[in-house]
Coordinates of all heavy atoms in Angstrom, one line a residue:
M848 N 14.1 4.2 -5.3 CA 13.1 3.5 -4.5 C 13.4 2.0 -4.3 O 13.1 1.5 -3.3 CB 11.7 3.7 -5.1 CG 10.6 3.5 -4.1 SD 9.2 4.4 -4.6 CE 7.9 3.3 -4.2
L849 N 13.9 1.4 -5.3 CA 14.3 0.0 -5.2 C 15.5 -0.3 -4.4 O 15.8 -1.4 -4.1 CB 14.4 -0.6 -6.6 CG 13.2 -0.7 -7.5 CD1 13.5 -1.2 -8.8 CD2 12.2 -1.6 -6.8
S850 N 16.2 0.8 -4.0 CA 17.5 0.6 -3.2 C 17.2 0.3 -1.8 O 18.1 0.1 -1.0 CB 18.3 1.9 -3.3 OG 17.6 2.9 -2.7
L851 N 15.9 0.2 -1.4 CA 15.6 -0.1 0.0 C 16.0 -1.6 0.4 O 16.2 -1.9 1.5 CB 14.1 0.1 0.3 CG 13.6 1.5 0.2 CD1 12.1 1.5 0.3 CD2 14.2 2.3 1.3
G852 N 16.0 -2.4 -0.6 CA 16.2 -3.9 -0.3 C 14.9 -4.6 0.1 O 13.9 -3.9 0.4
I853 N 15.0 -5.9 0.2 CA 13.9 -6.7 0.5 C 13.3 -6.4 1.9 O 12.1 -6.3 2.1 CB 14.1 -8.2 0.3 CG1 12.9 -9.0 0.4 CG2 15.1 -8.7 1.3 CD1 12.0 -8.8 -0.8
F854 N 14.2 -6.2 2.9 CA 13.7 -6.0 4.3 C 13.1 -4.6 4.4 O 12.1 -4.4 5.1 CB 14.9 -6.1 5.3 CG 15.3 -7.5 5.4 CD1 16.6 -7.9 5.0 CD2 14.5 -8.5 5.9 CE1 17.0 -9.2 5.1 CE2 14.9 -9.8 6.0 CZ 16.2 -10.2 5.6
G855 N 13.6 -3.6 3.7 CA 13.0 -2.3 3.7 C 11.6 -2.3 3.1 O 10.7 -1.7 3.6
W856 N 11.5 -3.1 2.0 CA 10.2 -3.2 1.4 C 9.2 -3.9 2.3 O 8.0 -3.5 2.4 CB 10.3 -4.0 0.0 CG 10.6 -3.2 -1.1 CD1 11.8 -3.1 -1.7 CD2 9.8 -2.2 -1.8 NE1 11.8 -2.2 -2.7 CE2 10.6 -1.7 -2.8 CE3 8.5 -1.8 -1.7 CZ2 10.1 -0.7 -3.7 CZ3 8.0 -0.9 -2.6 CH2 8.8 -0.3 -3.5
I857 N 9.6 -4.9 3.0 CA 8.7 -5.6 3.9 C 8.3 -4.7 5.1 O 7.1 -4.7 5.4 CB 9.4 -6.9 4.5 CG1 9.5 -7.9 3.3 CG2 8.7 -7.5 5.7 CD1 10.4 -9.1 3.7
I858 N 9.3 -4.0 5.6 CA 8.9 -3.1 6.8 C 8.0 -1.9 6.3 O 7.0 -1.7 6.9 CB 10.2 -2.5 7.4 CG1 11.0 -3.7 8.1 CG2 9.9 -1.4 8.4 CD1 12.3 -3.4 8.6
I859 N 8.4 -1.3 5.3 CA 7.6 -0.2 4.8 C 6.2 -0.7 4.3 O 5.2 -0.1 4.5 CB 8.3 0.6 3.7 CG1 9.5 1.4 4.3 CG2 7.4 1.6 3.0 CD1 10.3 2.2 3.3
G860 N 6.3 -1.8 3.5 CA 5.0 -2.4 3.0 C 4.1 -2.8 4.2 O 2.9 -2.6 4.1
G861 N 4.7 -3.4 5.2 CA 3.9 -3.9 6.3 C 3.2 -2.7 7.1 O 2.0 -2.8 7.4
L862 N 4.0 -1.7 7.3 CA 3.4 -0.5 8.0 C 2.4 0.2 7.1 O 1.3 0.5 7.6 CB 4.5 0.5 8.3 CG 5.4 0.1 9.5 CD1 6.6 1.1 9.6 CD2 4.7 0.1 10.8
A863 N 2.7 0.4 5.8 CA 1.7 1.0 5.0 C 0.5 0.2 4.8 O -0.6 0.7 4.8 CB 2.4 1.3 3.6
G864 N 0.6 -1.2 4.6 CA -0.5 -2.0 4.5 C -1.4 -2.0 5.8 O -2.6 -2.0 5.7
W865 N -0.8 -2.0 6.9 CA -1.5 -2.0 8.2 C -2.2 -0.7 8.4 O -3.4 -0.7 8.7 CB -0.5 -2.2 9.3 CG -1.2 -2.2 10.7 CD1 -2.1 -3.0 11.2 CD2 -0.9 -1.2 11.7 NE1 -2.5 -2.6 12.4 CE2 -1.8 -1.5 12.8 CE3 -0.1 0.0 11.7 CZ2 -1.8 -0.7 13.9 CZ3 -0.2 0.7 12.9 CH2 -1.0 0.4 13.9
I866 N -1.6 0.4 8.1 CA -2.2 1.7 8.3 C -3.3 1.9 7.2 O -4.4 2.4 7.5 CB -1.2 2.9 8.2 CG1 -0.3 2.8 9.4 CG2 -1.9 4.2 8.1 CD1 0.9 3.8 9.4
G867 N -3.0 1.4 6.0 CA -4.1 1.4 5.0 C -5.3 0.6 5.3 O -6.4 1.0 5.1
S868 N -5.1 -0.6 5.9 CA -6.2 -1.4 6.4 C -7.0 -0.8 7.5 O -8.1 -1.0 7.6 CB -5.7 -2.8 6.7 OG -4.9 -2.8 7.9
K869 N -6.3 0.0 8.4 CA -7.0 0.7 9.5 C -7.8 1.8 8.9 O -9.0 2.0 9.3 CB -6.0 1.3 10.4 CG -5.3 0.4 11.3 CD -6.2 -0.1 12.4 CE -5.4 -0.9 13.4 NZ -6.3 -1.5 14.4
I870 N -7.3 2.5 7.9 CA -8.1 3.6 7.2 C -9.3 3.1 6.5 O -10.4 3.6 6.6 CB -7.1 4.4 6.3 CG1 -6.1 5.2 7.1 CG2 -8.0 5.4 5.4 CD1 -5.0 5.9 6.2
M871 N -9.1 2.0 5.8 CA -10.2 1.4 5.0 C -11.1 0.4 5.9 O -12.0 -0.2 5.3 CB -9.6 0.6 3.8 CG -8.9 1.5 2.8 SD -10.0 2.8 2.1 CE -11.1 1.8 1.2
K872 N -10.8 0.3 7.2 CA -11.5 -0.6 8.1 C -11.6 -2.0 7.7 O -12.7 -2.6 7.7 CB -12.9 0.0 8.3 CG -12.9 1.4 8.9 CD -14.3 2.0 9.1 CE -14.4 3.3 9.7 NZ -13.3 4.2 9.6
T873 N -10.5 -2.6 7.2 CA -10.4 -4.0 6.9 C -9.4 -4.7 7.7 O -9.0 -5.9 7.4 CB -10.0 -4.1 5.4 OG1 -8.7 -3.5 5.1 CG2 -11.0 -3.5 4.4
D874 N -8.9 -4.1 8.8 CA -7.8 -4.7 9.6 C -8.3 -5.9 10.3 O -7.5 -6.8 10.5 CB -7.3 -3.6 10.6 CG -6.1 -4.1 11.3 OD1 -5.1 -4.6 10.6 OD2 -6.0 -4.0 12.5
E875 N -9.5 -6.1 10.7 CA -10.0 -7.2 11.4 C -9.9 -8.5 10.5 O -9.8 -9.6 11.0 CB -11.4 -7.0 11.8 CG -11.6 -5.9 12.9 CD -11.7 -4.5 12.2 OE1 -12.1 -4.4 11.0 OE2 -11.4 -3.6 12.9
Q876 N -10.0 -8.3 9.2 CA -10.0 -9.5 8.3 C -8.6 -9.9 7.8 O -8.4 -10.9 7.2 CB -10.8 -9.1 7.0 CG -12.2 -8.6 7.3 CD -12.7 -7.7 6.2 OE1 -12.1 -7.4 5.3 NE2 -14.0 -7.3 6.4
M877 N -7.6 -9.0 8.1 CA -6.3 -9.2 7.6 C -5.3 -9.6 8.7 O -5.3 -9.1 9.8 CB -5.8 -8.0 6.9 CG -6.7 -7.6 5.7 SD -6.3 -6.0 5.0 CE -4.6 -6.1 4.5
G878 N -4.3 -10.4 8.4 CA -3.2 -10.7 9.2 C -1.9 -9.9 8.8 O -2.0 -9.1 7.9
I879 N -0.8 -10.2 9.5 CA 0.4 -9.4 9.2 C 0.9 -9.7 7.8 O 1.4 -8.8 7.1 CB 1.5 -9.7 10.3 CG1 2.6 -8.7 10.0 CG2 1.9 -11.1 10.2 CD1 3.6 -8.7 11.2
L880 N 0.8 -11.0 7.3 CA 1.3 -11.3 6.0 C 0.5 -10.6 4.9 O 1.1 -10.1 3.9 CB 1.3 -12.8 5.8 CG 2.3 -13.6 6.6 CD1 2.2 -15.1 6.4 CD2 3.7 -13.1 6.4
L881 N -0.8 -10.6 5.1 CA -1.6 -9.9 4.1 C -1.4 -8.4 4.1 O -1.5 -7.8 3.1 CB -3.1 -10.2 4.3 CG -4.1 -10.0 3.2 CD1 -3.6 -10.7 1.9 CD2 -5.5 -10.5 3.5
N882 N -1.2 -7.8 5.3 CA -0.8 -6.4 5.4 C 0.4 -6.1 4.6 O 0.6 -5.1 3.9 CB -0.7 -6.0 6.9 CG -2.0 -5.7 7.5 OD1 -3.0 -5.4 6.9 ND2 -2.0 -5.8 8.8
I883 N 1.5 -6.9 4.8 CA 2.7 -6.8 4.1 C 2.5 -6.9 2.6 O 3.0 -6.0 1.8 CB 3.8 -7.8 4.5 CG1 4.2 -7.5 6.0 CG2 5.0 -7.8 3.6 CD1 5.0 -8.5 6.6
L884 N 1.8 -7.9 2.2 CA 1.5 -8.1 0.7 C 0.7 -6.9 0.2 O 1.1 -6.4 -0.9 CB 0.7 -9.4 0.5 CG 0.4 -9.8 -0.9 CD1 1.7 -10.1 -1.6 CD2 -0.5 -11.0 -0.9
V885 N -0.3 -6.4 0.9 CA -1.1 -5.3 0.4 C -0.2 -4.0 0.3 O -0.3 -3.2 -0.6 CB -2.3 -5.0 1.3 CG1 -2.9 -3.6 1.1 CG2 -3.4 -6.1 1.1
G886 N 0.7 -3.8 1.3 CA 1.6 -2.7 1.3 C 2.6 -2.7 0.1 O 2.9 -1.7 -0.5
V887 N 3.2 -3.9 -0.1 CA 4.2 -4.0 -1.2 C 3.5 -3.8 -2.6 O 3.9 -3.1 -3.4 CB 4.9 -5.4 -1.1 CG1 5.8 -5.6 -2.3 CG2 5.8 -5.4 0.1
I888 N 2.4 -4.5 -2.7 CA 1.6 -4.4 -4.0 C 1.1 -2.9 -4.1 O 1.1 -2.3 -5.2 CB 0.5 -5.4 -4.1 CG1 1.0 -6.8 -4.2 CG2 -0.4 -5.1 -5.3 CD1 0.0 -7.9 -4.2
G889 N 0.7 -2.4 -3.0 CA 0.2 -1.0 -3.0 C 1.4 0.0 -3.3 O 1.2 1.0 -4.0
G890 N 2.6 -0.4 -3.0 CA 3.8 0.4 -3.4 C 3.9 0.4 -4.9 O 4.3 1.5 -5.5
L891 N 3.7 -0.7 -5.5 CA 3.8 -0.8 -6.9 C 2.7 0.0 -7.6 O 2.9 0.7 -8.6 CB 3.8 -2.3 -7.4 CG 4.9 -3.1 -6.9 CD1 4.7 -4.6 -7.3 CD2 6.2 -2.7 -7.6
I892 N 1.5 -0.1 -7.1 CA 0.4 0.6 -7.6 C 0.6 2.1 -7.4 O 0.4 2.9 -8.3 CB -1.0 0.1 -7.0 CG1 -1.3 -1.3 -7.4 CG2 -2.1 1.1 -7.4 CD1 -2.4 -1.9 -6.7
G893 N 0.9 2.5 -6.2 CA 1.2 3.9 -5.9 C 2.3 4.5 -6.7 O 2.2 5.6 -7.2
G894 N 3.4 3.7 -6.9 CA 4.5 4.2 -7.7 C 4.1 4.3 -9.2 O 4.5 5.3 -9.9
F895 N 3.2 3.5 -9.7 CA 2.7 3.6 -11.1 C 1.9 4.8 -11.2 O 2.0 5.6 -12.2 CB 2.0 2.3 -11.4 CG 1.4 2.3 -12.8 CD1 2.3 2.2 -13.9 CD2 0.1 2.5 -13.1 CE1 1.8 2.2 -15.2 CE2 -0.4 2.5 -14.3 CZ 0.4 2.4 -15.4
I896 N 0.9 5.0 -10.3 CA 0.0 6.1 -10.4 C 0.7 7.4 -10.2 O 0.6 8.4 -11.0 CB -1.2 6.0 -9.4 CG1 -2.1 4.8 -9.8 CG2 -2.0 7.3 -9.4 CD1 -3.1 4.4 -8.7
L897 N 1.5 7.6 -9.1 CA 2.2 8.8 -8.8 C 3.3 9.1 -9.8 O 3.7 10.2 -10.0 CB 2.7 8.8 -7.4 CG 1.6 8.8 -6.3 CD1 2.2 8.8 -4.9 CD2 0.7 10.1 -6.4
G898 N 3.9 8.0 -10.4 CA 4.9 8.2 -11.4 C 4.5 8.9 -12.6 O 5.4 9.5 -13.3
A899 N 3.3 9.0 -12.9 CA 2.8 9.8 -14.0 C 2.8 11.3 -13.7 O 2.8 12.1 -14.6 CB 1.3 9.3 -14.3
F900 N 2.8 11.6 -12.4 CA 2.8 13.0 -12.0 C 4.0 13.5 -11.3 O 4.4 14.7 -11.4 CB 1.6 13.3 -11.1 CG 0.3 12.9 -11.7 CD1 -0.3 11.7 -11.2 CD2 -0.3 13.5 -12.7 CE1 -1.5 11.3 -11.7 CE2 -1.5 13.1 -13.2 CZ -2.1 12.0 -12.7
L901 N 4.7 12.7 -10.6 CA 5.9 13.1 -9.8 C 7.1 12.2 -10.1 O 7.0 11.1 -10.6 CB 5.5 13.0 -8.3 CG 4.3 13.8 -7.9 CD1 3.9 13.3 -6.5 CD2 4.6 15.2 -7.9
D902 N 8.2 12.6 -9.5 CA 9.4 11.8 -9.6 C 9.5 10.9 -8.3 O 9.9 11.4 -7.3 CB 10.7 12.7 -9.6 CG 12.0 11.9 -9.6 OD1 12.0 10.7 -10.0 OD2 13.0 12.4 -9.2
V903 N 8.9 9.7 -8.4 CA 8.8 8.9 -7.2 C 10.2 8.2 -6.8 O 10.3 7.8 -5.7 CB 7.7 7.8 -7.4 CG1 6.4 8.3 -7.5 CG2 8.0 6.9 -8.6
E904 N 11.1 8.1 -7.8 CA 12.4 7.4 -7.4 C 13.2 8.3 -6.6 O 14.0 7.9 -5.8 CB 13.1 7.0 -8.7 CG 12.4 5.9 -9.4 CD 13.2 5.5 -10.6 OE1 14.4 5.7 -10.7 OE2 12.6 4.8 -11.5
G905 N 13.1 9.6 -6.7 CA 14.0 10.5 -5.9 C 13.3 11.1 -4.7 O 13.8 12.0 -4.1
G906 N 12.2 10.5 -4.3 CA 11.5 11.0 -3.2 C 12.0 10.7 -1.8 O 11.7 11.4 -0.8
G907 N 12.8 9.7 -1.6 CA 13.3 9.3 -0.3 C 12.4 8.3 0.5 O 11.4 7.8 0.0
L908 N 12.8 8.1 1.7 CA 12.1 7.1 2.5 C 10.7 7.4 2.9 O 9.8 6.6 2.8 CB 13.0 6.8 3.8 CG 12.5 5.7 4.7 CD1 12.6 4.3 3.9 CD2 13.4 5.6 5.9
I909 N 10.5 8.6 3.3 CA 9.1 9.1 3.7 C 8.2 9.1 2.5 O 7.0 8.7 2.7 CB 9.2 10.4 4.4 CG1 10.1 10.3 5.6 CG2 7.8 11.0 4.8 CD1 9.8 10.9 6.9
F910 N 8.7 9.6 1.4 CA 7.8 9.6 0.2 C 7.5 8.2 -0.2 O 6.4 8.0 -0.7 CB 8.5 10.4 -0.9 CG 7.6 10.6 -2.1 CD1 6.6 11.5 -2.1 CD2 7.8 9.8 -3.2 CE1 5.8 11.7 -3.2 CE2 7.0 10.0 -4.3 CZ 6.0 10.9 -4.3
S911 N 8.5 7.3 -0.1 CA 8.2 5.9 -0.4 C 7.1 5.3 0.5 O 6.2 4.6 0.0 CB 9.5 5.1 -0.3 OG 10.5 5.5 -1.2
F912 N 7.2 5.6 1.7 CA 6.1 5.2 2.6 C 4.8 5.7 2.2 O 3.8 4.9 2.2 CB 6.4 5.6 4.1 CG 5.3 5.3 5.0 CD1 5.0 4.0 5.4 CD2 4.5 6.3 5.5 CE1 4.0 3.7 6.3 CE2 3.4 6.1 6.3 CZ 3.2 4.8 6.7
F913 N 4.7 7.0 2.0 CA 3.4 7.5 1.6 C 2.9 7.0 0.2 O 1.7 6.9 0.0 CB 3.4 9.1 1.6 CG 3.3 9.6 3.0 CD1 4.4 10.3 3.6 CD2 2.2 9.4 3.8 CE1 4.3 10.7 4.9 CE2 2.1 9.9 5.1 CZ 3.2 10.5 5.6
T914 N 3.8 6.7 -0.7 CA 3.5 6.1 -1.9 C 2.9 4.7 -1.7 O 1.8 4.4 -2.3 CB 4.7 6.0 -2.9 OG1 5.2 7.3 -3.1 CG2 4.3 5.3 -4.2
C915 N 3.5 3.9 -0.8 CA 2.9 2.6 -0.5 C 1.6 2.7 0.2 O 0.7 2.0 -0.1 CB 3.9 1.8 0.4 SG 5.4 1.3 -0.3
L916 N 1.4 3.7 1.1 CA 0.2 3.9 1.8 C -0.9 4.3 0.8 O -2.0 3.7 0.9 CB 0.3 5.0 2.9 CG -0.9 5.3 3.7 CD1 -1.4 4.1 4.4 CD2 -0.6 6.5 4.6
F917 N -0.6 5.2 -0.1 CA -1.6 5.6 -1.1 C -2.0 4.4 -2.0 O -3.2 4.2 -2.2 CB -1.0 6.7 -2.0 CG -1.8 7.1 -3.2 CD1 -3.0 7.7 -3.1 CD2 -1.4 6.7 -4.5 CE1 -3.8 8.0 -4.2 CE2 -2.1 7.0 -5.6 CZ -3.3 7.6 -5.5
G918 N -1.0 3.7 -2.4 CA -1.3 2.5 -3.3 C -2.1 1.4 -2.5 O -3.0 0.8 -3.1
S919 N -1.8 1.2 -1.2 CA -2.5 0.2 -0.5 C -4.0 0.6 -0.2 O -4.9 -0.2 -0.3 CB -1.8 -0.1 0.9 OG -1.8 1.0 1.7
I920 N -4.2 1.9 0.0 CA -5.6 2.4 0.1 C -6.4 2.2 -1.2 O -7.5 1.8 -1.2 CB -5.6 3.9 0.5 CG1 -5.1 3.9 2.0 CG2 -7.0 4.5 0.4 CD1 -4.9 5.3 2.5
V921 N -5.7 2.5 -2.3 CA -6.3 2.3 -3.6 C -6.6 0.8 -3.8 O -7.8 0.4 -4.2 CB -5.4 2.8 -4.8 CG1 -6.0 2.4 -6.1 CG2 -5.3 4.3 -4.7
L922 N -5.7 -0.1 -3.5 CA -5.9 -1.5 -3.7 C -7.0 -2.0 -2.8 O -7.9 -2.7 -3.2 CB -4.6 -2.2 -3.3 CG -4.6 -3.8 -3.4 CD1 -4.9 -4.2 -4.8 CD2 -3.3 -4.3 -2.9
L923 N -7.0 -1.6 -1.5 CA -8.1 -2.0 -0.6 C -9.5 -1.5 -1.1 O -10.5 -2.2 -0.9 CB -7.8 -1.6 0.8 CG -6.6 -2.4 1.5 CD1 -6.3 -1.7 2.8 CD2 -7.0 -3.8 1.6
F924 N -9.5 -0.3 -1.6 CA -10.8 0.3 -2.1 C -11.3 -0.6 -3.2 O -12.5 -0.9 -3.3 CB -10.5 1.7 -2.5 CG -11.7 2.3 -3.2 CD1 -12.8 2.7 -2.5 CD2 -11.8 2.4 -4.6 CE1 -13.9 3.3 -3.1 CE2 -12.9 3.0 -5.2 CZ -14.0 3.4 -4.5
L925 N -10.4 -0.9 -4.2 CA -10.8 -1.7 -5.3 C -11.3 -3.1 -4.9 O -12.2 -3.7 -5.4 CB -9.6 -1.9 -6.3 CG -9.3 -0.6 -7.1 CD1 -8.1 -0.8 -7.9 CD2 -10.4 -0.1 -7.9
V926 N -10.5 -3.7 -3.9 CA -10.9 -5.0 -3.4 C -12.3 -5.0 -2.7 O -13.2 -5.8 -3.0 CB -9.9 -5.6 -2.4 CG1 -10.4 -6.8 -1.7 CG2 -8.6 -6.0 -3.2
K927 N -12.6 -3.9 -1.9 CA -13.9 -3.8 -1.3 C -15.0 -3.5 -2.4 O -16.1 -4.0 -2.2 CB -13.8 -2.6 -0.3 CG -13.2 -2.9 1.0 CD -13.1 -1.7 1.9 CE -14.4 -1.5 2.6 NZ -14.3 -0.5 3.7
L928 N -14.6 -2.8 -3.4 CA -15.6 -2.5 -4.5 C -16.0 -3.8 -5.2 O -17.2 -4.0 -5.5 CB -15.0 -1.6 -5.5 CG -15.9 -0.9 -6.5 CD1 -16.9 0.0 -5.8 CD2 -15.1 -0.1 -7.5
V929 N -15.0 -4.7 -5.5 CA -15.3 -5.9 -6.2 C -16.0 -6.9 -5.2 O -17.0 -7.6 -5.7 CB -14.0 -6.6 -6.7 CG1 -14.2 -8.0 -7.2 CG2 -13.4 -5.7 -7.8
T930 N -15.6 -7.1 -4.0 CA -16.2 -8.1 -3.1 C -17.5 -7.6 -2.6 O -18.3 -8.5 -2.1 CB -15.2 -8.4 -1.9 OG1 -14.9 -7.2 -1.2 CG2 -14.0 -9.0 -2.4
A931 N -17.8 -6.3 -2.6 CA -19.2 -5.9 -2.1 C -20.3 -6.2 -3.1 O -21.4 -6.3 -2.7 CB -19.1 -4.3 -2.0
R932 N -20.0 -6.5 -4.3 CA -21.0 -6.9 -5.3 C -21.4 -8.3 -5.2 O -22.3 -8.7 -5.9 CB -20.5 -6.5 -6.7 CG -20.3 -5.0 -6.9 CD -19.8 -4.7 -8.2 NE -19.5 -3.3 -8.3 CZ -19.7 -2.6 -9.4 NH1 -20.1 -3.1 -10.5 NH2 -19.4 -1.3 -9.4
R933 N -20.7 -9.1 -4.5 CA -21.0 -10.6 -4.4 C -22.2 -10.8 -3.5 O -22.5 -10.2 -2.5 CB -19.8 -11.3 -3.9 CG -18.7 -11.4 -4.9 CD -17.6 -12.3 -4.4 NE -16.5 -12.2 -5.3 CZ -15.4 -12.9 -5.2 NH1 -15.3 -13.7 -4.2 NH2 -14.4 -12.8 -6.0

């Protein structure tokens, strides 16, 4: 999964962060840089969570995208959970 390179992470992270923000209805508050950041951090979170159950390194490009998407949704859910209490 790390063999994608920095540009692969940015592209996959950006797409996953953007789609995740659309699903979680936070897209109006986020720009492209925050979408990329959420997607890349979401990839780390998703890889950590799914790594306990599946072989995430051998999954390929599409599985990497869905791992980033899953992680970005989890990250955005947690952020909404924390910020809603303020």
